[in-house]
Amino acid sequence: MGKGIISASLGKLLQARGLSVTIQKLDPYINIDPDTLNPYEHGECFVTNDGAVTDLDLGHYERFLDVPTSQANSVTTGRIYQAVIDKERRGEYLGKTVQVIPHITDEIKCHIKSLGSTGQYDVVITEIGGTVGDIESLPYIEAVRQLRWELGSRCAVIHLTYVPYLAAAHELKTKPTQHSVKQLQEQGVQPDVLVLRTEHPISQEIRAKVALFCNVDKDAVVQSIDAPTIYQVPLLMREERLSEVVLRKLKMENMPEPDLTAWTNFLEKYENPKKTVKIALVGKYVELPDTYKSILEAFVHAGAANECKVDLKLIQSENITANNVDKVLEGMQGIMVAPGFGERGVEGKIEAIRYAREGNIPFFGICLGMQCAVIEFARNVLGYTDSHSTEINPNTSQKVIDLMADQKNQLNKGGTMRLGAYDCDIKENTLAASIYKTGRISERHRHRYEFNNKYTEAFEKAGVVFSGKNPETNLIEIVELPAHPFFIGVQFHPELKSTVLNPHPLFVDFVKAVAAGK
Ligand code: GLN
């Protein structure tokens, strides 16, 4: 439906009026977080600086607002229940029967109010996942009803609905909107603003009808029409005066008009590319591009920064073999190998990397993509033909990617994932140094395995440069090949930090190298 994009766009407009804004997502599923969900179930897991594994909507919030989110921005029913049950065990409910109302709803309200009480934000936008009528959503809607009552005009409710178009009748149908508003009203919540998702413009008559039947102001019926890019939605919402209506409901009037100059500059460049570059994204979840959401968006940002269109071709790594790699990757001017977990498709990734390395094609590997680059080099240059990551072959004689000793001890307890932001020192006079232009960076992680430092010397002798290291643990963060025009692999996830107004330098310089035909 696009609640995430509408939330992010509203946030952007409020921010562009000078307000400090954050956006929070409440997900009504029972998982504590999406960490254990299959990417096919859920798309990408977005990771915050503080190591929260969250829904991909948080990625949209960060890309739009350019403000980092945290664990407090991501709440699931699982987390709510866990908090309530922990309190119950600690005896904090003083012998009372613990119930959905008031205990679960109180916990939900507490999470909604917690970001506001930090004093950092003028406005907190809380997006509630799911749809009105879902059994899972009931406690959330009740929490909203109570918050409305408690906060009065300091709280506004926006409801997003879908307005289908019946092609045969040439007609937009508002009945589903009327029904879902009615259902919300039955649960005690009167929306202040309706955002109508539509493929065709919604006339003033229809808006007036919806306003009348749904009990909202006429100008509070706002259309959200399909846009060629999500990055146009803030401009469309500005035309619809969404933030103005919301501020009126919140009694925060007389705010300056939104200043979207930098945003429109980005769109201008994005919409008028001077050339096109073809880049392959080699991964195993290509049937569901949402798995690579942040990577796809980072390429949009980096493309605009280079004034070129990135024609990204998603390639199933399972289908790549030594025999067909040149056919499959023919015409690709740059090759990215994606992050991932498990064995499937790994050999194809390694073949794609060999093809990029030997053919001097710009290469950029992320997380598992970097690990595969290490394995490829070990096998084909160092001659360690059996080398592998112990994630995939625990019995390999050359464990070039392995668990660290302290992780091995903990593995029986469910394993440990390195999550969140860690510092990395950049070596001078390297590709990484020329890209980052600073000696110390911080990037986000989500992985278990690491480069095995036992092999550092052998790799260095053969021409690999380890240009990024964790200053505390000495773990390898960046590998590169100076003999190659552009070959870099990173253990972290730079895509998670790329935003519209701050495109990530690794993506920017990778696209630049591809465009230059290096
Ligand atoms: N599977 C690898 C690890 O756990 C890489 C993870 C990733 O690509 N995010 O280390």
Side-chain angles (χ1 to χ4, degrees), residues 179-226:
H179 279 299
S180 87
V181 171
K182 192 132 280 162
Q183 196 156 6
L184 257 188
Q185 288 167 339
E186 278 167 16
Q187 292 170 43
V189 174
Q190 168 64 53
D192 296 290
V193 181
L194 294 175
V195 178
L196 272 38
R197 191 80 180 73
T198 175
E199 279 133 50
H200 295 269
I202 298 179
S203 66
Q204 288 309 327
E205 290 91 317
I206 296 181
R207 292 180 197 220
K209 182 170 101 182
V210 171
L212 175 66
F213 291 152
C214 298
N215 233 359
V216 298
D217 294 345
K218 250 191 243 165
D219 69 346
V221 181
V222 158
Q223 77 172 9
S224 165
I225 197 157
D226 279 2

Side-chain angles (χ1 to χ4, degrees), residues 339-342 366-368 371 391 446-449 491 493:
F341 290 83
I366 298 183
C367 210
L368 182 62
Q371 297 176 351
E391 175 183 9
R446 182 172 180 246
H447 62 107
R448 247 179 222 115
Y449 294 81
Q491 184 58 79
H493 289 271

Side-chain angles (χ1 to χ4, degrees), residues 427-490:
K427 193 171 180 168
E428 281 177 25
N429 301 317
T430 58
L431 178 60
S434 78
I435 292 171
Y436 278 103
K437 299 184 177 65
T438 167
R440 166 80 53 103
I441 57 163
S442 167
E443 293 280 7
R444 299 182 195 170
H445 293 249
R446 182 172 180 246
H447 62 107
R448 247 179 222 115
Y449 294 81
E450 308 278 355
F451 176 76
N452 184 346
N453 268 324
K454 210 174 87 186
Y455 289 94
T456 314
E457 221 183 290
F459 274 79
E460 281 177 340
K461 275 203 185 120
V464 170
V465 167
F466 298 103
S467 52
K469 278 187 197 165
N470 180 308
E472 275 156 33
T473 57
N474 238 4
L475 291 172
I476 298 296
E477 301 281 17
I478 312 180
V479 299
E480 55 186 74
L481 283 179
H484 187 283
F486 190 104
F487 190 103
I488 198 160
V490 297

Side-chain angles (χ1 to χ4, degrees), residues 12 41 59 112 144 147 161 174 255 257 364 389 421 444 501-502:
K12 187 77 224 168
E41 284 277 312
I112 296 177
V144 168
L147 269 180
T161 68
T174 62
M255 296 298 297
E257 281 296 305
F364 182 5
S389 161
R444 299 182 195 170
L501 299 185
N502 271 311

Side-chain angles (χ1 to χ4, degrees), residues 14 19-23 121-125 246-247 250 252:
L14 295 172
L19 292 166
S20 154
V21 184
T22 190
I23 313 177
Y121 306 106
D122 302 311
V123 181
V124 178
I125 299 173
V246 169
L247 287 172
L250 294 174
M252 292 169 76

